Amino acid sequence: MVLRSFGEKEEADRCLLCEDAPCTQHCSRGMKPDRLIRSVYFCNERGAADSIAQISCLDCDAPCEKACILQNKTKPIEIKKILCSLEEVKKTLDVVNCKSVDLSCSLCGVPMENPFLLSSSVVASNYEMCAKAFEQGFAGAAFKTICTFEQHEASPRFSMLRGRDHAFYGFKNIEQLSGHQVEEDLDTFRRLKADYPTKVIVASIMGQNEQEWTELASACEEAGADVIECNFSCPNMEDRDLGVTIGQSPELIERFTRAVRRGCSIPILAKMTPNITDMVPCAVAAKRGGADGIAAINTIQSITGVNLDTLTPDPSVKGKSFVGGYSGVAVKPIALRFISDLAKCEELKGLHISGMGGIETWQDALEFILLGAGSLQLTTAVMQYGYRVIDDLLDGMAYYLAERGISRISDLVGASTDNIVSGNELERDTILFPKFHKDLCIGCGRCYISCYDGGHQAIQFDQNARYPKLDGKKCVGCHLCRLVCPADAIGVVKKRISIK
């Protein structure tokens, strides 16, 4: 998208994404700048440009910027600049019909309006929350795990790793399961199913023995659940035969999946732990036990940091902490690896994969689908930004499909799996050299620093002209320079060069 070349995306990334945004309240043109900027923030520039009003902002004195709550903190968001750029981008766009795109899918045969569900967590822990998510556009929810044993949560129970802006990219929780009585949660299922009959209710359950697994599954089906999700993976449960300890044992997974199958006739998802070297044997065990699909990944056991003043890891509970579950965009590469492993396994062919782990934008979501996920689940993005993230997840995905003439999202499930090969199968006889674009280079020299100190000393830097020069005899085509360039001023040559 052209918008990225002019710094407007970076400017939008400074936005705090306010509730009842003052910028929209004070817009003199009747526009919704907060909604447009939010789309840019979540990489849906096409949707933002396409939906911007015909009214120009060029001659506006920008009362929206004067109302920005950053006005007295740092500096207000340059809203006028962003909106004017969107107007220019809109002039270059071809007309596409997003309404012709079919985003519907199925979860183990259960129809869904779109691929997106809330994952089993605090974001899906009562009627009001699920109802709000459904109204916003989510197709379903995996309710917070139901259990028969009493829960007492710690306080505080979250910590995070923050980027250089205000958003966090890594999130740790030490939260456990539903704090409600079983019958209370079952009543919530009944209410949700009565009020939202087209939405998918996934009942996440955890038993302490085979009988409990069977009885919970039966009770959830009777209460209207469409799918059972077996929580074999919660990293915050330390008792024997609970949570992650089950997920690391193919024997226990198969045994408890069979117990769940005895208690219900609806589809079963087995939720896998990433706290394991190879997930495939555990997924195969779930299939043997009667699972219809696999949900992956749950959170990764972690310590996000240590407070250097108190010497206590975060979050600190009266001076102590716990190795808890890590999520957020930082875990996406790990999640994608496990999704790919599951999708490529011949023994698991035909099993549905419900993917999760770091999904924040429509691009993230599409990557999971391309690697084999047929449905998608979110928590951390919702915790940080709210249920409204669904707007740009759906919109961005629809535009992507429409622009490429793809009619159904289901046609893309697993489309990239054949492009994941073993290291021995990669072509290693040619080099693709980087190419410096002088018109975009800002002369920072970051490419030179990284190549010299972390690469192959293949870049020279003219300190007078402040411009890099490539030494083709030393360059190995690793492309570290491209990755560190803050101005996107390094591309690639058109043709590979043989090194034989």
Side-chain angles (χ1 to χ4, degrees), residues 121-302:
S121 66
V122 66
V123 303
S125 56
N126 60 44
Y127 174 89
E128 290 75 19
M129 298 177 85
C130 292
K132 183 179 180 181
F134 293 165
E135 295 284 353
Q136 198 82 41
F138 278 90
F143 203 77
K144 191 170 185 181
T145 303
I146 297 175
C147 62
T148 59
F149 41 97
E150 194 171 355
Q151 299 292 297
H152 296 283
E153 298 288 4
S155 174
R157 49 184 175 269
F158 302 135
S159 64
M160 56 81 186
L161 294 179
R162 194 186 298 276
R164 294 190 182 275
D165 58 8
H166 52 83
F168 55 73
Y169 61 87
F171 184 77
K172 173 188 170 183
N173 83 86
I174 56 174
E175 200 163 72
Q176 297 185 325
L177 313 180
S178 174
H180 305 142
Q181 295 294 316
V182 172
E183 189 52 45
E184 185 179 352
D185 286 335
L186 296 178
D187 185 58
T188 297
F189 292 172
R190 297 184 187 99
R191 291 177 61 198
L192 287 170
K193 208 60 192 174
D195 294 344
Y196 301 94
T198 64
K199 302 294 185 178
V200 177
I201 306 298
V202 179
S204 176
I205 63 173
M206 183 185 293
Q208 299 176 94
N209 52 55
E210 290 185 45
Q211 182 178 347
E212 278 195 10
W213 283 102
T214 300
E215 291 176 350
L216 283 171
S218 178
C220 289
E221 180 176 18
E222 290 177 4
D226 299 291
V227 178
I228 300 294
E229 183 177 84
C230 303
N231 187 343
F232 294 149
S233 49
C234 178
N236 300 332
M237 307 299 295
E238 290 194 312
D239 293 339
R240 183 177 177 273
D241 294 354
L242 286 178
V244 69
T245 58
I246 299 176
Q248 294 169 339
S249 168
E251 178 187 353
L252 291 178
I253 289 173
E254 182 175 354
R255 183 201 309 172
F256 291 137
T257 304
R258 289 188 187 280
V260 171
R261 176 49 69 209
R262 289 195 295 271
C264 69
S265 60
I266 56 178
I268 298 172
L269 285 175
K271 190 169 184 178
M272 298 285 103
T273 178
N275 300 294
I276 195 168
T277 304
D278 186 358
M279 188 180 289
V280 168
C282 293
V284 171
K287 181 182 179 182
R288 287 197 304 267
D292 303 281
I294 302 298
I297 61 172
N298 207 324
T299 54
I300 300 170
Q301 289 176 312
S302 68

